Amino acid sequence: MNLDFLDDVKRMNKRQLVYQVLNFGMIVLSALMIWKGLMVVTGSESPIVVVLSGSMEPAFHRGDLLFLTNYNQDPIRVGEIVVFKVDGRDIPIVHRVLKLHERDDGSVKFLTKGDNNAVDDRGLYAPGQLWLEKKDVVGRARGFVPYVGIVTILMNDYPKFKYAVLACLGIFVLIHRE
Amino acid sequence: MPDYSTTRERLDLGFVFFDLQADLTPLFNWNVKQLFLYLTAEYQTDKNQLNQVVLWDKIIQRGESAVLDYKSMSSKYYFWDDGNGLRGNKNITLMLSWNIIPNSGMLPLLSADGSHRFEFPVNYTNGRI
């Protein structure tokens, strides 16, 4: 009876399993570190955003990916595409600066509007808020890639798809021998 | 004039009519999806060191004609000041700028050479001058 041989195999598989899990952990942590590094380099809390609505068509469509920077030395100017968050809401909005008033001390207030919208964004701001300020800005759009962000939108709208992708990734990592 | 879209203070409202001729065809290349053009009025007031107000904008897609010839065009957006700094303001500068939207890549913002300076009259008025 060759059961001893089977015990060997079982032990080897357990060690390899732990090894694979550690490898996977390293990949995840490296990705996180790269993301944090990007946050530092660009100065933005969210250096890559996905366009969620059609309010900037035909320039940007739902699913486009935007690369942002948020340097303090770069003053905000009219015509720039800014990504901002309204106080109390999590959704970032990507629109263009329409009006701007800046004081001697450097404080700025500005108004935005989506290219594809007929009216400016006052209706989107918090109740009683008439202008946006520097602190509301997540970043300025500097570059973009079309379509690539559709995956994120799909994963948000169809959670089953997200679980399926994660499950496939998990199985792949565990089976793959390196 | 009271501005009903903000705080109902009396703010200055400017009316501007402009002529614009431009040929932007050299700006288009294989990676340019569209141009976003905008006409800015930039000026200084006692209250604010820098004011920029977009008066008019236009989107030109690749394939459309990039030659513009407008006469006596009125502004698309209201020219509200944040206060009363327009009356008698001696230096309002109009600048034409554009944002190049590529098929993918960087999004530069550029301005035309030259600009036009004008003054607002010293009195408020109800009609056209």
Side-chain angles (χ1 to χ4, degrees):
Chain A
M1 295 289 271
N2 277 335
L3 285 176
D4 298 335
F5 161 71
L6 276 177
D7 283 331
D8 271 358
V9 167
K10 245 193 278 176
R11 234 179 299 130
M12 253 170 32
N13 273 346
K14 223 180 275 177
R15 191 178 292 144
Q16 280 197 333
L17 187 66
V18 171
Y19 185 72
Q20 294 290 58
V21 168
L22 279 177
N23 255 347
F24 182 61
M26 238 178 62
I27 296 177
V28 167
L29 287 178
S30 308
L32 270 178
M33 273 171 56
I34 293 178
W35 178 252
K36 292 290 174 189
L38 256 185
M39 274 169 65
V40 166
V41 159
T42 62
S44 163
E45 64 175 46
S46 182
I48 303 184
V49 290
V50 178
V51 175
L52 296 171
S53 72
S55 58
M56 282 293 280
E57 287 186 15
F60 305 133
H61 301 259
R62 237 170 90 87
D64 290 345
L65 211 65
L66 289 177
F67 298 97
L68 311 180
T69 63
N70 195 21
Y71 302 129
N72 270 335
Q73 317 91 293
D74 265 346
I76 299 186
R77 288 290 169 254
V78 150
E80 290 189 340
I81 302 176
V82 295
V83 178
F84 60 92
K85 283 200 189 151
V86 179
D87 259 338
R89 278 177 234 156
D90 263 337
I91 318 173
I93 305 181
V94 184
H95 284 171
R96 206 182 283 272
V97 176
L98 189 72
K99 292 196 164 100
L100 183 143
H101 299 283
E102 181 175 319
R103 298 198 173 199
D104 296 336
D105 59 11
S107 65
V108 195
K109 55 186 192 186
F110 54 97
L111 179 64
T112 57
K113 172 181 169 295
D115 290 348
N116 207 19
N117 292 347
V119 295
D120 60 45
D121 288 345
R122 287 229 161 93
L124 287 177
Y125 301 160
Q129 183 186 10
L130 296 167
W131 302 91
L132 284 180
E133 290 166 21
K134 202 104 192 257
K135 64 175 178 56
D136 300 312
V137 172
V138 169
R140 250 155 294 178
R142 292 284 181 229
F144 99 109
V145 186
Y147 309 126
V148 172
I150 290 256
V151 179
T152 316
I153 294 186
L154 276 179
M155 296 217 292
N156 262 337
D157 288 348
Y158 304 107
K160 292 208 186 113
F161 178 66
K162 178 162 63 172
Y163 299 141
V165 166
L166 285 176
C168 286
L169 266 179
I171 296 177
F172 175 72
V173 159
L174 292 175
I175 294 182
H176 187 234
R177 283 169 181 268
E178 182 66 72
Chain B
M1 253 182 81
D3 178 6
Y4 290 106
S5 69
T6 60
T7 60
R8 298 187 176 221
E9 293 165 17
R10 296 189 79 90
L11 303 172
D12 281 0
L13 177 62
F15 288 95
V16 177
F17 298 93
F18 59 93
D19 296 344
L20 172 68
Q21 283 99 34
D23 180 9
L24 300 158
T25 8
L27 288 174
F28 280 95
N29 63 41
W30 62 274
N31 195 21
V32 172
K33 183 162 78 169
Q34 73 176 53
L35 284 186
F36 184 90
L37 286 176
Y38 52 103
L39 186 71
T40 315
E42 187 171 314
Y43 59 98
Q44 193 176 20
T45 62
D46 291 334
K47 187 175 175 196
N48 289 315
Q49 209 223 350
L50 173 69
N51 299 280
Q52 286 184 326
V53 179
V54 172
L55 296 180
W56 172 88
D57 58 37
K58 180 173 175 55
I59 293 181
I60 304 186
Q61 312 242 31
R62 187 168 67 177
E64 292 174 3
S65 159
V67 177
L68 306 173
D69 187 9
Y70 297 122
K71 298 250 178 345
S72 242
M73 187 85 160
S74 64
S75 62
K76 201 172 177 192
Y77 302 112
Y78 287 116
F79 190 167
W80 284 112
D81 181 38
D82 177 37
N84 300 91
L86 290 184
R87 177 169 64 165
N89 195 317
K90 293 228 175 335
N91 185 4
I92 314 264
T93 311
L94 287 180
M95 307 175 328
L96 181 68
S97 316
W98 55 86
N99 192 196
I100 297 186
I101 315 272
N103 281 321
S104 91
M106 303 285 290
L107 291 159
L109 231 67
L110 304 154
S111 288
D113 285 332
S115 51
H116 178 77
R117 222 202 91 217
F118 69 92
E119 301 178 0
F120 267 117
V122 178
N123 296 313
Y124 289 126
T125 169
N126 274 332
R128 277 177 92 131
I129 293 201

